[in-house]
Amino acid sequence: MKTVIVIDGGPRKNFNTASMLQKFAEGASSVSNDIEVKTIRLYGLDYKGCMSCMACKIKDKASNVCKFKDALTPILEDIAKADGLALGSPIYFGQITGQMQAFLERLSFPWLSYNDYSLTAPKKMPVVLIETMNGQPNQNNSQGYGPMEYCIANALCQPEHIIAYNTYQVKNYARFELAGFSETAKQQWRDEHWEQDLQKAYDCGKRMAEEIMK
């Protein structure tokens, strides 16, 4: 059995990021009954970012999996044995969510050697980074996964990117102080692009599973 771990770094259970990751998972699952897809919602877990305990750096006991014990521990241990990884986050103030950032600190700091500054994960695997944002392709300030993408690319693999632009922020714009946005324009963009975005996520999941099963 091959395993793909999907990490949802968004706060809303049934909105843009969750929908993209669900389609990714459906695409991965469609390839074979020997593919198991596990989806984890970070906002449902009680955890912190790197605690600087340095337990992963103790001489003769160094580990490339975080040793701090909390709700994130079993997920990090599962990722160390997984065959594929998908990370999804909405973009807030041009960056991934705080929960995703804290998760990536815990995931990647144990990979870093302070002897030679190499980055070594327990195993290589394909990775996809999914972003959903209010910005448009020619008008956004997203830094995406930022420096953490460097760690992922060096320790796991060069990741694939899937970005959904100009997403709906709410279902009913009339209820909120959002006069800077045209709901009509938002709806038009969504009608033209959202199903394509979901299909891209599905196809990406399928490609990853096919690569894993080779």
Side-chain angles (χ1 to χ4, degrees), residues 8-214:
D8 184 349
R12 296 194 272 186
K13 295 180 180 180
N14 300 301
F15 222 59
N16 300 313
T17 302
S19 296
M20 291 286 284
L21 291 172
Q22 181 180 344
K23 284 297 181 181
F24 174 90
E26 290 174 7
S29 298
S30 73
V31 171
S32 171
N33 291 331
D34 292 326
I35 294 280
E36 180 184 14
V37 181
K38 296 181 179 179
T39 298
I40 309 298
R41 290 196 67 256
L42 294 181
Y43 275 76
L45 301 176
D46 184 9
Y47 70 98
K48 296 177 176 64
C50 179
M51 298 297 290
S52 196
C53 66
M54 302 300 283
C56 64
K57 309 288 190 244
I58 295 173
K59 285 187 175 181
D60 300 321
K61 294 182 180 179
S63 170
N64 49 15
V65 180
C66 179
K67 292 299 183 183
F68 188 81
K69 302 299 183 185
D70 62 9
L72 204 57
T73 306
I75 292 137
L76 296 171
E77 291 172 349
D78 283 348
I79 292 172
K81 299 176 287 186
D83 301 286
L85 179 64
L87 307 177
S89 176
I91 298 299
Y92 295 159
F93 292 96
Q95 302 180 65
I96 54 176
T97 60
Q99 277 73 8
M100 179 60 80
Q101 178 69 27
F103 162 79
L104 288 172
E105 287 178 4
R106 294 278 299 280
L107 178 69
S108 62
F109 184 61
W111 299 342
L112 175 63
S113 168
Y114 278 143
N115 293 324
D116 60 8
Y117 295 96
S118 61
L119 285 157
T120 306
K123 63 187 290 190
K124 296 281 188 178
M125 67 185 72
V127 181
V128 62
L129 304 179
I130 293 177
E131 302 170 44
T132 62
M133 67 179 72
N134 180 52
Q136 298 187 30
N138 61 349
Q139 188 181 21
N140 76 82
N141 65 343
S142 174
Q143 301 172 35
Y145 287 76
M148 291 302 182
E149 184 173 341
Y150 173 85
C151 298
I152 290 167
N154 280 270
L156 298 176
C157 80
Q158 190 65 44
E160 183 173 353
H161 290 264
I162 303 290
I163 302 175
Y165 294 101
N166 201 18
T167 54
Y168 253 39
Q169 297 148 295
V170 295
K171 292 182 178 180
N172 181 3
Y173 276 71
R175 288 189 61 208
F176 300 91
E177 296 287 352
L178 295 170
F181 301 99
S182 165
E183 184 173 7
T184 300
K186 282 279 191 182
Q187 182 66 58
Q188 181 178 352
W189 181 280
R190 187 176 181 85
D191 290 344
E192 294 174 356
H193 295 90
W194 182 237
E195 290 302 322
Q196 295 177 20
D197 292 334
L198 293 174
Q199 187 63 48
K200 288 177 185 176
Y202 181 94
D203 293 343
C204 183
K206 187 175 179 181
R207 282 195 303 275
M208 181 183 286
E210 289 171 344
E211 179 180 348
I212 288 169
M213 293 302 295
K214 286 181 180 177

